[in-house]
Structures are given as structure tokens and as C-alpha cells.
Amino acid sequence: MDPIKNPFSPGAGTPPPELAGRDADIRRAEIAIARIKNGRHAKSEILVGLRGVGKTVLLNRFRQIAEKTGTVSVRLEAPETRSLPALLVPGLHKAMLELDRRQAATKLLQQAQNFLADFIRSMKVKYGDVEVSLDIGNATGESTGDLEADISELLKRTGEAAKERETSLLIFIDELHYVKKDEFASLIAALHLCSQFELPVALFGAGLPQLKGLSGKAKSYAERLFDFSEIGALTESAAEQALKVPIENEGATIAPDALSKIVSLTEGYPFFLQVWGGHAWDSADSAPITLSDVLHANKLAITDLDSSFFRVRFDRLTPGEKHYLRAMSELGPGPHRSGDVATVLSKAVNAVAPVRSNLIHKGMIYSPSHGDTAFTVPLFDGFMKRIMPQLNQDD
């Protein structure tokens, strides 16, 4: 069929043509955003889930909802190598400029701007990667240099300026699991302080499954401060909707057995539905898309993923890390006991513990419960067997 009309759009955070199965998540965010803006209490929210489940898509949708209500929002993505202060400074500067545009600078906003100038100066010395020089406010020496105290004061003052303008400040952070534990603890403490002062400040974040455990380790009261929403694969009916609706919107159809086959092959993961759906469309000469078209598309989809989505993650690994993941794949999709993985490698658990720790840090695996290990990327066990057919081979 016409590739120009292909409705599917696999990509990192690219909105699908039909955002199926997420209505409850969106409605919950709408309520929280509206309550915060109206000066009522609502918990911050963190989306947790594997790669490819659509966390970024949802987070972006939440921000769109917030902006339509007139909320001041800050959108950040946490890379592995940057500090939290380096991420926050440009975003909060932008937020203060937006607050200034809504109402001429007041004492509360000026105090926030002055403290931001202090914060930049002290964090440049402490972290080194805060490279921004902003012509905003006048440093007054109030910053203590203590990250938790300073972020708390910075968000408090910005929240006061937002409240004065009858709006709210919402911070959206993707890949939140990459924020270091002590820095995450400082952010949690700052949000807690804002909550205690009934200020309209909240966090909407997204990250891998380990994020829930990390937050609890960072601050014991995190569970009372956040709602953790687990975002997983779509139900069978929602997965079928994600495929069927875009196809029918283009005036085409898909056979029921072909539809079921794609859902089965992808296990209902949203990103993979887009990949398989796109290849099935291109494989079909005409409507309806048939089971034969899907079987042909399956080979193309796997080749596509092996050369891009899976491969880019594989290439970041050391030889030891690759062998650890290959041993995991030998046991199946998982989760697996860490001791079982060590047994496959013919090594002691403590000997491979540093490798496991590095893989968790890189976001390749996580621990769903004590002593267990699982892939953060769906279907990665199959890729490892294809890229390394023999357990002990080099890549």
C-alpha cells in the first residue's frame, strides 16, 4: 500500500496515531494538574515502566494538558552525565521569565530571581557542569552551597511567585532514573517543602522500573509524596485498537488473524506495535492487510530493531556486560535470580555483582525484587540470542 499514507510512527517519544489504553492515566493527570493550579493538594506523579511502553509520550501529553490550563511548565530530560542543578537552571530561568511576562516583577519574583543567581554561582563551583551565565537577579549571598537546602529554597520562592500569579509550576523530567541518588533526594525534599507551604509546585516524571525503589531509598517519605503509575504493555483490546484505528482512518482494513498475530508478536508493547504495524502496511500490496503480509513484515521488523533499537543499546556495553546479558537470555525473558545468572556464567555471585550494578546504572536491567534481575528492554532476550548465538562467544 501507499507508503506515504502509512499511519504508523515508531520513534523515541513520537506520539502514536492512536493513543490507546491510556485514558485512565490521562484523566488522572488532568485532575492533578487542575487541582494544583487551583491551589488544592495533589501528589506529584512518576510514570515507571520498561523501554518502549510510551512513558515519554504520556509525559508530553501531560505537559500539553498543563500548558492549555495556563500552567508554567519546565520540560527536562536527565542524561547520564549531567547534574540536576545543570538541568534545573535553564528551565527555572525560563519559568521565571514566563511569570514575569504574566505580571510585572514583584518582590516575590525578584527574590526568586536573586536566589537563582546565587544558586548558579554556588553550583558552578560545586558541580562544574553548570555552565549557564544568566543576566537575572542580583546575587545576595543567600545560597548555602548545600544542594538540598538550596533547591528547596529555590522551588519555594518560585512557587510563591507562581501562587501570587494564580498559576502553578510543574516540572516534567524524563529519564528520571539517571538523576543521582543524593540529587534526587534533594529534589524530593524541595517538593516536600513546597507541599508543606501549600505551594502550587509539583513534579511529573518518567523513568525505568527501578525508580520507585530509588525514590524510597532517597527519602523514606517519597511514597507519600508521589503517585507511582506503572505503565506496561497494552491489553489485547487496546493493542488491537492502536493498530486498527489508524489503518481504518486511512480507508484500509486488516484481517482479524493478521491483527491478532501482530499483537502476539509484539506482546502489546506500544513501540513494537508501531514498528510491526508500519512494516505490515508496507508489506501489503492492497487492503486488507493479511496474515501473510504480517509474517513477511515480522522478518523486516526484527531486522529493523536488531540494527537500531536493540543494537544501539548493545553497542554501549563492555564485553563482560554483554556476556552477562547473554547469560540472562539463556534463562528466558525473566526475571531471574542473580544467582542463576551467575551459575550460567560459571562464576560466583559476588564476582559478577559489579557487572550487574553497571548494567543497572546503564538502564539495561533492573531488580524487580531483592535478588531478581530483569531486562528493561522488552524482547531483548531474543536479540541477545540472535546477536550472540553461542553463550560464550565474543560479539
Side-chain angles (χ1 to χ4, degrees):
M1 294 191 287
D2 186 353
I4 296 175
K5 294 184 177 181
N6 190 327
F8 297 101
S9 53
T14 305
E18 176 69 13
L19 185 53
R22 305 304 191 199
D23 292 347
D25 300 296
I26 292 170
R27 180 56 183 157
R28 186 171 56 252
E30 286 175 338
I31 293 171
I33 289 167
R35 286 184 62 84
I36 295 165
K37 186 174 185 295
N38 291 329
R40 298 181 181 275
H41 172 72
K43 288 183 179 180
S44 292
E45 182 171 358
I46 295 180
L47 307 174
V48 295
L50 304 180
R51 302 284 187 188
V53 296
K55 301 185 300 298
T56 300
V57 169
L58 271 179
L59 194 65
N60 289 337
R61 176 63 66 89
F62 294 172
R63 188 187 179 198
Q64 290 170 1
I65 292 168
E67 290 180 338
K68 286 180 181 178
T69 68
T71 288
V72 175
S73 65
V74 175
R75 172 71 167 86
L76 309 171
E77 181 176 330
E80 295 180 64
T81 55
R82 296 196 68 190
S83 70
L84 181 63
L87 293 176
L88 283 177
V89 165
L92 289 177
H93 174 231
K94 182 180 177 181
M96 290 178 188
L97 291 177
E98 176 61 27
L99 292 171
D100 191 28
R101 281 193 289 268
R102 298 189 182 198
Q103 181 181 327
T106 59
K107 182 178 180 180
L108 288 176
L109 180 57
Q110 189 61 56
Q111 287 174 342
Q113 292 172 329
N114 290 345
F115 198 84
L116 178 60
D118 274 334
F119 183 77
I120 292 170
R121 185 180 62 180
S122 62
M123 292 303 117
K124 274 185 176 181
V125 174
K126 185 171 182 178
Y127 286 91
D129 65 341
V130 182
E131 301 173 350
V132 183
S133 295
L134 302 174
D135 184 18
I136 180 172
N138 299 301
T140 58
E142 294 181 272
S143 175
T144 65
D146 178 82
L147 184 61
E148 182 171 312
D150 286 353
I151 289 184
S152 295
E153 186 64 24
L154 183 58
L155 290 192
K156 175 178 172 290
R157 294 192 184 193
T158 310
E160 288 170 340
K163 185 175 183 178
E164 182 181 46
R165 287 156 176 76
E166 298 183 346
T167 188
S168 56
L169 172 68
L170 299 185
I171 302 172
F172 296 81
I173 305 181
D174 201 3
E175 304 283 5
L176 190 55
H177 51 271
Y178 283 135
V179 175
K180 294 186 176 87
K181 179 182 173 182
D182 60 332
E183 297 174 9
F184 191 24
S186 298
L187 180 59
I188 294 172
L191 293 166
H192 189 215
L193 179 69
C194 289
S195 177
Q196 291 174 319
F197 279 86
E198 298 182 314
L199 296 175
V201 179
L203 168 71
F204 285 82
L208 294 175
Q210 61 260 40
L211 192 53
K212 187 174 181 179
L214 290 173
S215 65
K217 292 177 182 177
K219 289 291 182 181
S220 60
Y221 52 77
E223 291 183 0
R224 286 168 283 161
L225 192 65
F226 297 123
D227 275 332
F228 291 92
S229 299
E230 295 188 11
I231 309 301
L234 299 178
T235 64
E236 183 177 349
S237 60
E240 290 181 350
Q241 180 186 349
L243 292 165
K244 190 176 181 180
V245 171
I247 291 171
E248 292 181 344
N249 285 345
E250 294 298 331
T253 56
I254 180 170
D257 57 350
L259 188 63
S260 296
K261 188 63 175 177
I262 294 179
V263 173
S264 174
L265 290 168
T266 61
E267 299 181 10
Y269 287 104
F271 175 72
F272 296 141
L273 288 168
Q274 297 297 303
V275 173
W276 262 264
H279 282 292
W281 176 282
D282 290 339
S283 296
D285 293 326
S286 60
I289 298 172
T290 66
L291 179 59
S292 177
D293 296 326
V294 170
L295 294 176
H296 180 256
N298 184 52
K299 299 175 184 177
L300 298 174
I302 290 174
T303 300
D304 183 4
L305 290 169
D306 283 358
S307 63
S308 56
F309 182 74
F310 292 139
R311 183 81 204 199
V312 71
R313 289 163 172 79
F314 180 81
D315 286 344
R316 297 175 63 237
L317 305 175
T318 66
E321 292 165 352
K322 292 173 182 177
H323 285 121
Y324 190 95
L325 295 185
R326 181 60 182 84
M328 283 181 61
S329 69
E330 191 73 8
L331 297 170
H336 307 294
R337 300 297 296 173
S338 299
D340 293 339
V341 180
T343 297
V344 173
L345 289 167
S346 299
K347 294 184 178 181
V349 173
N350 60 355
V352 294
V355 176
R356 179 177 181 270
S357 179
N358 288 339
L359 286 168
I360 291 175
H361 177 72
K362 289 183 177 181
M364 292 301 303
I365 61 175
Y366 73 105
S367 180
S369 58
H370 181 69
D372 282 346
T373 304
F375 292 104
T376 60
V377 182
L379 310 185
F380 203 76
D381 59 310
F383 166 74
M384 288 304 303
K385 289 180 179 179
R386 291 191 296 274
I387 198 72
M388 298 175 67
Q390 301 302 316
L391 179 61
N392 297 317
Q393 79 173 71
D394 295 325
D395 64 288

